[in-house]
Amino acid sequence: GKMNALMASALRSTVSSVGALSSTGAWGTTFQRWATKKAGGSSSNGRKATHKRLGVKCFGGEHVIPGNIIVRQRGTKMRPGENVGLGRDHTIWALVEGHVKFQWNKLNKHQYVSVVPSLKFGMVNEQKAQEAHAHKEFHKAHGLLGLSRFAYKLAGEEGQKRIDAAEPLREKMYKSVVAVKRAAKRARKAREIEAQ
């Protein structure tokens, strides 16, 4: 009785560990395999990631001081130009005080980010304002001159000299803008009178 049951149990475990091809053993005994691991439930966590807040932080023409982050990005979509640093996570930041400048390079088709010192930025915008005034784009010229004036104010003593030198040009442009506005107002009134 007991001895036969013990031998059958030992034989059953031996055959089970070797791995029977069928569910029926050699002497007609059946084997049943039990799960060795409990079935795990699916986790509902791991989907809520914080946003990385990437993108341009300081735009073109904006005044920056050393250490200001200009662009946060993944990869070098925008390349570092003059007076900026590049972090290991491809963050671009200012190395000097000045104004942000974005520039598209046609040869290698990449966007470059630079920081231009205030005095140079003012001179470039003053030149652009004079060109716009020559092409009778008075509003554009007035806006560019305002940008140059803002940059000169940040440039210190040398900038103040440039503001004083550009004053006659600013007055001339202001008169041109006022004249254009008056002409537009007269034309609008004339159209209203014709419509009646």
Side-chain angles (χ1 to χ4, degrees):
K2 271 191 178 181
M3 192 66 170
N4 284 343
L6 257 168
M7 283 181 67
S9 174
L11 184 63
R12 204 177 299 129
S13 66
T14 306
V15 172
S16 173
S17 65
V18 169
L21 293 174
S22 67
S23 63
T24 308
W27 292 283
T29 56
T30 57
F31 306 115
Q32 184 162 2
R33 293 194 57 184
W34 300 97
T36 55
K37 292 256 184 180
K38 185 185 174 194
S42 62
S43 171
S44 61
N45 297 330
R47 284 190 303 276
K48 213 170 191 182
T50 53
H51 304 295
K52 300 301 173 201
R53 297 168 179 88
L54 304 176
V56 178
K57 307 299 176 191
C58 295
F59 295 91
E62 202 168 322
H63 181 254
V64 290
I65 58 173
N68 277 16
I69 292 173
I70 301 169
V71 179
R72 277 207 180 277
Q73 60 185 351
R74 292 288 170 263
T76 51
K77 188 174 181 181
M78 295 184 191
R79 305 284 172 101
E82 294 176 16
N83 301 321
V84 296
L86 182 70
R88 66 179 194 180
D89 64 344
H90 305 116
T91 296
I92 297 176
W93 75 89
L95 294 175
V96 297
E97 185 175 353
H99 296 266
V100 178
K101 181 182 178 185
F102 291 90
Q103 199 169 10
W104 177 255
N105 190 321
K106 291 179 185 176
L107 295 174
N108 59 10
K109 294 183 172 59
H110 286 297
Q111 182 106 20
Y112 284 86
V113 183
S114 304
V115 173
V116 181
S118 294
L119 193 61
K120 186 177 177 185
F121 186 77
M123 288 173 11
V124 167
N125 280 315
E126 187 179 341
Q127 182 65 35
K128 285 182 182 177
Q130 288 174 350
E131 289 171 11
H133 189 265
H135 293 302
K136 300 198 183 320
E137 297 171 335
F138 301 120
H139 287 287
K140 183 179 178 181
H142 194 65
L144 286 166
L145 202 62
L147 264 177
S148 71
R149 190 178 169 88
F150 170 68
Y152 284 151
K153 281 183 181 177
L154 296 168
E157 202 174 300
E158 182 64 32
Q160 190 58 46
K161 289 178 187 174
R162 297 231 177 225
I163 289 173
D164 296 340
E167 195 60 37
L169 177 67
R170 194 180 74 80
E171 287 175 12
K172 183 179 171 185
M173 284 187 191
Y174 181 73
K175 287 177 184 175
S176 301
V177 170
V178 169
V180 167
K181 282 184 179 177
R182 284 183 183 154
K185 192 174 182 180
R186 278 195 297 264
R188 193 168 51 247
K189 279 187 178 179
R191 281 195 302 271
E192 286 173 3
I193 291 169
E194 286 177 14
Q196 292 174 355

